[in-house]
Amino acid sequence: MKNSIKATAIAPSNIAFIKYWGKKDEKLRIPTNGSVSVNLSNLFTTTTVEFSKKFEDDLIIYNKIQNNRGRSEKKILTHLDRMRNLAHLKYKAKVITQTNFPTASGLASSASGFAALTLAAVSASGLKLSEKELSILAREGSGSACRSIPDGFVEWLDGNTNNDSYAVSIFPPNYWNLSIITVIITKEQKEISSTLGQQLLISNPFLPVRLSRMKEKNKKVKKYIEKKQFTKFGELLESEALELHAMTLTSIPPIIYWQPDTVRVMKLVKSWRNEGLEVYFTMDAGPNLFLISEEKNEKKLIKKLKENNITDIVVNKPSVGARLVDKHLY
Ligand code: PMV
Protein backbone atom coordinates (compact mmCIF):
# COMPACT_ATOMS: atom_id res chain seq x y z
CA MET A 1 0.00 0.00 0.00
CA LYS A 2 1.31 3.42 -0.96
CA ASN A 3 1.24 6.23 1.62
CA SER A 4 -1.93 7.58 0.09
CA ILE A 5 -4.34 6.62 -2.64
CA LYS A 6 -7.42 8.36 -3.95
CA ALA A 7 -10.39 7.07 -5.98
CA THR A 8 -13.63 8.62 -7.22
CA ALA A 9 -16.89 6.91 -8.12
CA ILE A 10 -20.24 8.05 -9.51
CA ALA A 11 -23.35 6.06 -8.64
CA PRO A 12 -26.94 6.58 -9.74
CA SER A 13 -29.99 6.65 -7.56
CA ASN A 14 -32.50 3.92 -8.33
CA ILE A 15 -36.28 3.67 -8.24
CA ALA A 16 -37.91 0.36 -7.38
CA PHE A 17 -40.83 -1.00 -9.43
CA ILE A 18 -41.35 -3.68 -6.78
CA LYS A 19 -40.30 -2.34 -3.39
CA TYR A 20 -38.11 -3.37 -0.52
CA TRP A 21 -39.87 -2.42 2.70
CA GLY A 22 -39.03 -4.46 5.82
CA LYS A 23 -36.07 -6.57 6.87
CA LYS A 24 -35.54 -10.22 7.81
CA ASP A 25 -32.22 -9.32 9.38
CA GLU A 26 -31.93 -5.81 10.75
CA LYS A 27 -28.15 -5.84 11.27
CA LEU A 28 -27.21 -7.24 7.87
CA ARG A 29 -30.04 -5.37 6.10
CA ILE A 30 -31.50 -8.49 4.52
CA PRO A 31 -34.96 -7.63 3.20
CA THR A 32 -38.17 -9.61 3.65
CA ASN A 33 -38.47 -9.93 -0.14
CA GLY A 34 -36.66 -9.43 -3.43
CA SER A 35 -37.17 -6.19 -5.40
CA VAL A 36 -36.73 -4.89 -8.95
CA SER A 37 -35.55 -1.40 -9.89
CA VAL A 38 -33.98 0.76 -12.55
CA ASN A 39 -31.00 3.10 -12.20
CA LEU A 40 -31.64 6.79 -12.91
CA SER A 41 -29.38 8.76 -15.25
CA ASN A 42 -29.82 12.24 -13.75
CA LEU A 43 -29.92 11.63 -10.01
CA PHE A 44 -26.47 10.65 -8.84
CA THR A 45 -23.76 10.97 -6.21
CA THR A 46 -20.07 11.54 -6.83
CA THR A 47 -17.67 10.52 -4.07
CA THR A 48 -13.91 10.82 -3.70
CA VAL A 49 -12.21 8.75 -1.01
CA GLU A 50 -8.59 9.07 -0.02
CA PHE A 51 -6.86 6.89 2.57
CA SER A 52 -3.59 8.36 3.76
CA LYS A 53 -0.91 7.82 6.36
CA LYS A 54 -0.77 11.58 6.86
CA PHE A 55 -4.41 11.97 8.03
CA GLU A 56 -4.88 12.12 11.79
CA ASP A 57 -8.64 11.65 11.74
CA ASP A 58 -11.43 10.78 9.34
CA LEU A 59 -12.93 13.77 7.55
CA ILE A 60 -16.29 13.70 5.77
CA ILE A 61 -17.56 16.59 3.69
CA TYR A 62 -21.09 16.05 2.41
CA ASN A 63 -22.50 18.51 -0.13
CA LYS A 64 -19.81 21.02 0.92
CA ILE A 65 -20.76 20.75 4.61
CA GLN A 66 -18.50 19.21 7.19
CA ASN A 67 -20.85 17.06 9.22
CA ASN A 68 -20.11 16.98 12.92
CA ARG A 69 -20.63 13.37 13.83
CA GLY A 70 -24.32 13.37 12.84
CA ARG A 71 -26.38 10.27 12.16
CA SER A 72 -25.44 9.99 8.49
CA GLU A 73 -21.79 10.58 9.23
CA LYS A 74 -21.80 7.72 11.73
CA LYS A 75 -23.27 5.43 9.05
CA ILE A 76 -20.51 6.52 6.66
CA LEU A 77 -17.77 5.92 9.27
CA THR A 78 -19.13 2.45 10.09
CA HIS A 79 -19.12 1.68 6.38
CA LEU A 80 -15.54 2.92 5.94
CA ASP A 81 -14.51 0.61 8.79
CA ARG A 82 -16.05 -2.37 6.96
CA MET A 83 -13.77 -1.70 4.02
CA ARG A 84 -10.73 -0.89 6.15
CA ASN A 85 -11.20 -4.22 7.95
CA LEU A 86 -11.48 -6.11 4.68
CA ALA A 87 -8.33 -4.44 3.33
CA HIS A 88 -6.45 -4.63 6.70
CA LEU A 89 -5.95 -0.89 6.38
CA LYS A 90 -5.21 1.38 9.34
CA TYR A 91 -5.15 4.74 7.50
CA LYS A 92 -7.69 7.46 8.17
CA ALA A 93 -9.84 8.69 5.29
CA LYS A 94 -10.92 11.89 3.62
CA VAL A 95 -14.34 11.55 1.97
CA ILE A 96 -15.83 14.26 -0.19
CA THR A 97 -19.28 13.53 -1.48
CA GLN A 98 -21.63 15.50 -3.69
CA THR A 99 -25.21 14.72 -4.74
CA ASN A 100 -26.92 16.52 -7.60
CA PHE A 101 -30.36 16.39 -5.88
CA PRO A 102 -31.97 17.00 -2.44
CA THR A 103 -31.08 14.33 0.11
CA ALA A 104 -33.40 12.35 2.42
CA SER A 105 -36.58 13.34 0.60
CA GLY A 106 -37.50 10.03 -1.00
CA LEU A 107 -35.08 10.36 -3.92
CA ALA A 108 -32.90 7.51 -2.68
CA SER A 109 -29.89 9.64 -1.82
CA SER A 110 -28.62 6.93 0.51
CA ALA A 111 -28.76 4.39 -2.34
CA SER A 112 -26.56 6.42 -4.68
CA GLY A 113 -24.45 7.71 -1.78
CA PHE A 114 -23.56 4.32 -0.34
CA ALA A 115 -23.02 2.75 -3.78
CA ALA A 116 -20.56 5.54 -4.69
CA LEU A 117 -18.86 5.37 -1.28
CA THR A 118 -18.47 1.59 -1.53
CA LEU A 119 -16.91 1.62 -4.99
CA ALA A 120 -14.61 4.60 -4.28
CA ALA A 121 -13.44 3.28 -0.90
CA VAL A 122 -12.92 -0.28 -2.18
CA SER A 123 -10.83 1.06 -5.04
CA ALA A 124 -8.87 3.49 -2.84
CA SER A 125 -8.09 0.72 -0.35
CA GLY A 126 -6.61 -1.46 -3.08
CA LEU A 127 -9.22 -4.24 -2.75
CA LYS A 128 -10.23 -6.10 -5.90
CA LEU A 129 -13.86 -7.14 -5.56
CA SER A 130 -16.42 -8.65 -7.92
CA GLU A 131 -19.71 -6.87 -8.71
CA LYS A 132 -21.49 -9.31 -6.39
CA GLU A 133 -19.10 -8.51 -3.53
CA LEU A 134 -19.50 -4.77 -4.13
CA SER A 135 -23.29 -5.13 -4.10
CA ILE A 136 -23.18 -7.07 -0.80
CA LEU A 137 -20.97 -4.41 0.77
CA ALA A 138 -23.19 -1.58 -0.49
CA ARG A 139 -26.23 -3.39 0.99
CA GLU A 140 -24.57 -3.52 4.39
CA GLY A 141 -24.08 0.25 4.17
CA SER A 142 -27.66 1.09 3.12
CA GLY A 143 -30.08 -1.57 1.82
CA SER A 144 -31.20 -0.32 -1.59
CA ALA A 145 -27.65 0.89 -2.39
CA CYS A 146 -26.93 -2.68 -3.53
CA ARG A 147 -29.22 -2.05 -6.53
CA SER A 148 -27.18 1.01 -7.63
CA ILE A 149 -24.06 -1.12 -8.29
CA PRO A 150 -25.10 -3.17 -11.39
CA ASP A 151 -26.25 -1.65 -14.71
CA GLY A 152 -29.71 -0.81 -15.97
CA PHE A 153 -32.71 -2.82 -14.80
CA VAL A 154 -31.75 -4.61 -11.61
CA GLU A 155 -33.04 -7.35 -9.34
CA TRP A 156 -32.10 -7.57 -5.66
CA LEU A 157 -32.28 -11.33 -5.21
CA ASP A 158 -34.48 -12.75 -2.49
CA GLY A 159 -31.62 -14.06 -0.31
CA ASN A 160 -31.46 -15.22 3.28
CA THR A 161 -27.82 -14.77 4.18
CA ASN A 162 -25.15 -12.13 3.82
CA ASN A 163 -23.76 -13.99 0.83
CA ASP A 164 -26.89 -14.42 -1.21
CA SER A 165 -28.62 -11.05 -0.68
CA TYR A 166 -27.24 -8.92 -3.53
CA ALA A 167 -28.34 -7.30 -6.78
CA VAL A 168 -27.76 -8.30 -10.40
CA SER A 169 -28.44 -6.62 -13.71
CA ILE A 170 -31.40 -8.25 -15.48
CA PHE A 171 -31.45 -5.98 -18.56
CA PRO A 172 -28.97 -3.33 -19.77
CA PRO A 173 -30.00 0.37 -19.65
CA ASN A 174 -30.76 0.54 -23.38
CA TYR A 175 -33.04 -2.54 -23.28
CA TRP A 176 -36.20 -0.45 -23.00
CA ASN A 177 -36.50 3.27 -23.84
CA LEU A 178 -38.33 4.41 -20.76
CA SER A 179 -38.56 7.94 -19.47
CA ILE A 180 -38.60 8.36 -15.70
CA ILE A 181 -39.49 11.88 -14.62
CA THR A 182 -38.94 12.77 -10.99
CA VAL A 183 -41.46 15.30 -9.72
CA ILE A 184 -40.04 17.05 -6.67
CA ILE A 185 -42.92 18.00 -4.40
CA THR A 186 -40.73 19.18 -1.55
CA LYS A 187 -37.01 19.40 -0.89
CA GLU A 188 -37.46 19.13 2.85
CA GLN A 189 -35.95 16.19 4.70
CA LYS A 190 -38.53 13.60 5.60
CA GLU A 191 -39.59 13.35 9.24
CA ILE A 192 -39.32 9.58 9.52
CA SER A 193 -36.31 7.80 8.02
CA SER A 194 -36.93 4.67 6.00
CA THR A 195 -35.00 2.66 8.61
CA LEU A 196 -37.48 3.66 11.32
CA GLY A 197 -40.44 3.35 8.93
CA GLN A 198 -39.46 -0.23 8.23
CA GLN A 199 -39.13 -1.07 11.92
CA LEU A 200 -42.70 0.11 12.48
CA LEU A 201 -43.87 -2.33 9.81
CA ILE A 202 -43.29 -5.39 11.99
CA SER A 203 -46.54 -4.92 13.88
CA ASN A 204 -48.56 -4.08 10.75
CA PRO A 205 -51.46 -6.58 10.49
CA PHE A 206 -51.38 -6.43 6.67
CA LEU A 207 -47.72 -7.45 6.40
CA PRO A 208 -48.36 -11.22 6.01
CA VAL A 209 -50.75 -10.51 3.11
CA ARG A 210 -48.19 -8.33 1.37
CA LEU A 211 -45.36 -10.81 1.87
CA SER A 212 -47.39 -13.71 0.48
CA ARG A 213 -47.67 -11.86 -2.86
CA MET A 214 -44.11 -10.58 -3.36
CA LYS A 215 -42.58 -13.55 -5.25
CA GLU A 216 -45.39 -13.41 -7.81
CA LYS A 217 -45.09 -9.62 -8.18
CA ASN A 218 -41.35 -9.83 -8.85
CA LYS A 219 -41.89 -12.61 -11.39
CA LYS A 220 -44.55 -10.58 -13.17
CA VAL A 221 -42.58 -7.35 -13.35
CA LYS A 222 -39.58 -9.17 -14.85
CA LYS A 223 -41.83 -10.74 -17.48
CA TYR A 224 -43.44 -7.40 -18.38
CA ILE A 225 -40.03 -5.75 -18.73
CA GLU A 226 -38.71 -8.62 -20.82
CA LYS A 227 -41.72 -8.50 -23.15
CA LYS A 228 -41.94 -4.66 -22.97
CA GLN A 229 -45.64 -4.87 -22.05
CA PHE A 230 -45.96 -1.27 -20.93
CA THR A 231 -49.60 -1.21 -19.80
CA LYS A 232 -49.29 -4.28 -17.59
CA PHE A 233 -45.95 -3.02 -16.31
CA GLY A 234 -47.35 0.42 -15.46
CA GLU A 235 -50.46 -0.90 -13.74
CA LEU A 236 -48.36 -3.23 -11.60
CA LEU A 237 -45.77 -0.65 -10.53
CA GLU A 238 -48.42 1.96 -9.70
CA SER A 239 -50.43 -0.43 -7.54
CA GLU A 240 -47.18 -1.53 -5.85
CA ALA A 241 -46.34 2.10 -4.99
CA LEU A 242 -49.81 2.58 -3.51
CA GLU A 243 -49.41 -0.66 -1.56
CA LEU A 244 -46.12 0.57 -0.06
CA HIS A 245 -47.95 3.66 1.16
CA ALA A 246 -50.90 1.56 2.34
CA MET A 247 -48.34 -0.21 4.54
CA THR A 248 -46.91 3.04 5.93
CA LEU A 249 -50.43 4.43 6.52
CA THR A 250 -51.41 1.32 8.49
CA SER A 251 -48.20 1.05 10.51
CA ILE A 252 -48.44 1.76 14.21
CA PRO A 253 -48.02 4.71 14.58
CA PRO A 254 -48.99 5.58 10.98
CA ILE A 255 -46.67 7.45 8.65
CA ILE A 256 -48.18 9.81 6.08
CA TYR A 257 -45.44 10.58 3.58
CA TRP A 258 -47.75 12.35 1.08
CA GLN A 259 -48.24 16.08 0.74
CA PRO A 260 -51.39 17.60 -0.81
CA ASP A 261 -49.45 18.12 -4.06
CA THR A 262 -48.48 14.44 -4.12
CA VAL A 263 -52.15 13.52 -4.38
CA ARG A 264 -52.78 16.28 -6.92
CA VAL A 265 -50.13 14.84 -9.25
CA MET A 266 -51.47 11.29 -8.75
CA LYS A 267 -54.90 12.45 -9.86
CA LEU A 268 -53.47 14.35 -12.83
CA VAL A 269 -51.62 11.21 -13.96
CA LYS A 270 -54.89 9.32 -13.93
CA SER A 271 -56.68 12.03 -15.92
CA TRP A 272 -53.87 12.15 -18.52
CA ARG A 273 -54.18 8.39 -18.89
CA ASN A 274 -57.91 8.78 -19.47
CA GLU A 275 -57.06 11.25 -22.25
CA GLY A 276 -54.81 8.65 -23.88
CA LEU A 277 -51.36 9.67 -22.57
CA GLU A 278 -49.97 6.49 -21.08
CA VAL A 279 -48.10 7.37 -17.89
CA TYR A 280 -47.93 5.74 -14.45
CA PHE A 281 -46.47 6.89 -11.14
CA THR A 282 -44.34 5.27 -8.51
CA MET A 283 -42.85 6.62 -5.29
CA ASP A 284 -40.39 5.82 -2.54
CA ALA A 285 -41.00 6.47 1.14
CA GLY A 286 -41.44 10.20 0.65
CA PRO A 287 -43.71 12.80 -0.98
CA ASN A 288 -42.03 12.92 -4.41
CA LEU A 289 -43.22 11.03 -7.47
CA PHE A 290 -41.56 9.29 -10.39
CA LEU A 291 -43.62 9.36 -13.60
CA ILE A 292 -42.92 6.51 -15.96
CA SER A 293 -43.74 6.55 -19.65
CA GLU A 294 -42.27 5.25 -22.86
CA GLU A 295 -39.75 7.68 -24.32
CA LYS A 296 -42.02 8.42 -27.29
CA ASN A 297 -44.48 10.10 -24.86
CA GLU A 298 -41.90 12.08 -22.90
CA LYS A 299 -42.35 15.43 -24.71
CA LYS A 300 -46.14 15.31 -24.35
CA LEU A 301 -45.81 14.52 -20.68
CA ILE A 302 -43.37 17.39 -20.02
CA LYS A 303 -45.84 19.72 -21.78
CA LYS A 304 -48.67 18.51 -19.53
CA LEU A 305 -46.52 19.04 -16.43
CA LYS A 306 -45.67 22.60 -17.50
CA GLU A 307 -49.34 23.39 -18.24
CA ASN A 308 -50.10 22.41 -14.65
CA ASN A 309 -47.24 24.50 -13.19
CA ILE A 310 -45.24 21.43 -12.21
CA THR A 311 -41.76 22.64 -13.02
CA ASP A 312 -39.44 21.09 -10.45
CA ILE A 313 -38.70 17.94 -12.40
CA VAL A 314 -35.71 15.77 -13.33
CA VAL A 315 -35.91 13.77 -16.55
CA ASN A 316 -34.13 10.41 -16.35
CA LYS A 317 -33.39 7.48 -18.62
CA PRO A 318 -32.33 4.01 -17.44
CA SER A 319 -28.67 4.28 -16.47
CA VAL A 320 -25.51 2.28 -15.94
CA GLY A 321 -24.64 1.47 -12.34
CA ALA A 322 -21.75 2.66 -10.18
CA ARG A 323 -18.48 3.33 -12.00
CA LEU A 324 -15.04 4.75 -11.29
CA VAL A 325 -14.05 8.05 -12.90
CA ASP A 326 -10.68 9.77 -13.32
CA LYS A 327 -11.81 13.24 -12.28
CA HIS A 328 -11.56 13.62 -8.49
CA LEU A 329 -13.62 16.11 -6.46
CA TYR A 330 -10.42 17.62 -5.02
O1 PMV B 1 -32.62 1.49 1.38
P1 PMV B 1 -33.49 2.36 2.24
O2 PMV B 1 -33.32 2.10 3.68
O3 PMV B 1 -33.39 3.81 1.85
O4 PMV B 1 -35.04 1.92 1.95
C1 PMV B 1 -35.65 2.25 0.74
C2 PMV B 1 -37.00 1.65 0.62
C3 PMV B 1 -37.84 2.17 -0.53
O5 PMV B 1 -37.16 3.19 -1.22
C4 PMV B 1 -39.13 2.76 0.00
C5 PMV B 1 -38.22 1.06 -1.49
C6 PMV B 1 -37.11 0.54 -2.36
O6 PMV B 1 -37.15 -0.65 -2.69
O7 PMV B 1 -36.22 1.32 -2.76
Side-chain angles (χ1 to χ4, degrees):
M1 178 87 191
K2 296 186 213 149
N3 281 347
S4 131
I5 178 160
K6 204 193 259 190
T8 299
I10 296 186
S13 176
N14 69 73
I15 179 71
F17 304 131
I18 302 298
K19 313 285 182 184
Y20 140 60
W21 194 246
K23 298 183 185 75
K24 278 183 212 157
D25 185 317
E26 192 70 35
K27 200 165 157 268
L28 290 174
R29 292 179 207 280
I30 297 181
T32 49
N33 55 271
S35 51
V36 173
S37 62
V38 70
N39 287 324
L40 302 169
S41 59
N42 280 320
L43 294 174
F44 52 85
T45 301
T46 309
T47 297
T48 298
V49 177
E50 181 179 17
F51 289 110
S52 173
K53 207 176 174 177
K54 65 178 193 262
F55 297 150
E56 283 173 10
D57 204 355
D58 290 319
L59 174 67
I60 294 164
I61 299 177
Y62 190 75
N63 283 345
K64 303 212 164 98
I65 297 165
Q66 192 177 330
N67 189 326
N68 288 320
R69 301 291 187 251
R71 194 176 144 261
S72 30
E73 198 190 38
K74 278 198 196 118
K75 260 179 96 176
I76 294 172
L77 290 173
T78 309
H79 200 49
L80 281 174
D81 284 341
R82 277 190 192 103
M83 287 167 286
R84 277 191 280 240
N85 288 341
L86 270 180
H88 306 290
L89 187 64
K90 298 252 175 315
Y91 296 174
K92 296 291 180 190
K94 180 168 173 182
V95 178
I96 310 274
T97 186
Q98 197 69 48
T99 59
N100 75 331
F101 57 92
T103 57
S105 56
L107 296 179
S109 58
S110 67
S112 64
F114 276 86
L117 176 67
T118 304
L119 182 57
V122 160
S123 173
S125 67
L127 285 164
K128 299 260 175 297
L129 299 186
S130 64
E131 184 180 274
K132 171 181 168 180
E133 289 165 321
L134 283 168
S135 179
I136 289 174
L137 257 178
R139 186 205 78 228
E140 291 183 79
S142 183
S144 54
C146 73
R147 293 190 312 233
S148 289
I149 298 285
D151 287 346
F153 296 81
V154 171
E155 178 176 14
W156 182 355
L157 303 171
D158 185 12
N160 288 310
T161 63
N162 190 39
N163 232 344
D164 64 6
S165 179
Y166 61 97
V168 295
S169 177
I170 48 175
F171 297 102
N174 62 1
Y175 182 75
W176 200 6
N177 292 338
L178 292 182
S179 162
I180 307 121
I181 300 186
T182 312
V183 176
I184 301 172
I185 301 291
T186 166
K187 291 184 175 150
E188 276 166 35
Q189 301 235 335
K190 58 190 175 201
E191 281 163 49
I192 303 198
S193 71
S194 57
T195 305
L196 181 58
Q198 293 185 43
Q199 285 162 358
L200 299 178
L201 185 70
I202 295 171
S203 54
N204 187 312
F206 302 106
L207 182 61
V209 181
R210 172 165 169 80
L211 293 184
S212 70
R213 292 154 30 107
M214 295 315 287
K215 278 203 169 55
E216 190 57 29
K217 282 197 181 196
N218 277 308
K219 208 166 124 193
K220 274 192 181 152
V221 86
K222 284 189 282 178
K223 187 176 98 191
Y224 299 153
I225 299 171
E226 188 196 339
K227 295 189 183 309
K228 300 181 186 165
Q229 291 177 309
F230 188 71
T231 305
K232 287 187 168 157
F233 169 69
E235 284 171 356
L236 177 60
L237 67 89
E238 194 172 288
S239 75
E240 166 65 357
L242 289 168
E243 189 174 298
L244 166 74
H245 285 267
M247 300 308 291
T248 73
L249 289 166
T250 50
S251 288
I252 305 161
I255 318 168
I256 307 173
Y257 283 114
W258 297 348
Q259 295 288 339
D261 275 341
T262 310
V263 180
R264 177 178 163 248
V265 175
M266 286 175 178
K267 288 188 176 277
L268 281 171
V269 165
K270 196 167 174 202
S271 71
W272 296 334
R273 239 178 6 239
N274 289 340
E275 292 167 13
L277 174 58
E278 212 179 3
V279 50
Y280 296 88
F281 65 79
T282 185
M283 307 177 66
D284 274 341
N288 303 314
L289 295 111
F290 297 79
L291 308 190
I292 304 194
S293 68
E294 289 173 291
E295 209 176 31
K296 62 178 187 209
N297 286 326
E298 186 183 281
K299 279 207 177 80
K300 256 195 235 163
L301 180 55
I302 294 175
K303 194 165 166 266
K304 286 278 184 204
L305 288 164
K306 278 206 183 115
E307 281 168 10
N308 286 281
N309 294 322
I310 302 163
T311 50
D312 207 354
I313 62 171
V314 182
V315 181
N316 297 280
K317 309 272 178 263
S319 161
V320 292
R323 66 259 185 214
L324 290 167
V325 292
D326 294 331
K327 205 166 163 261
H328 302 303
L329 287 176
Y330 72 94

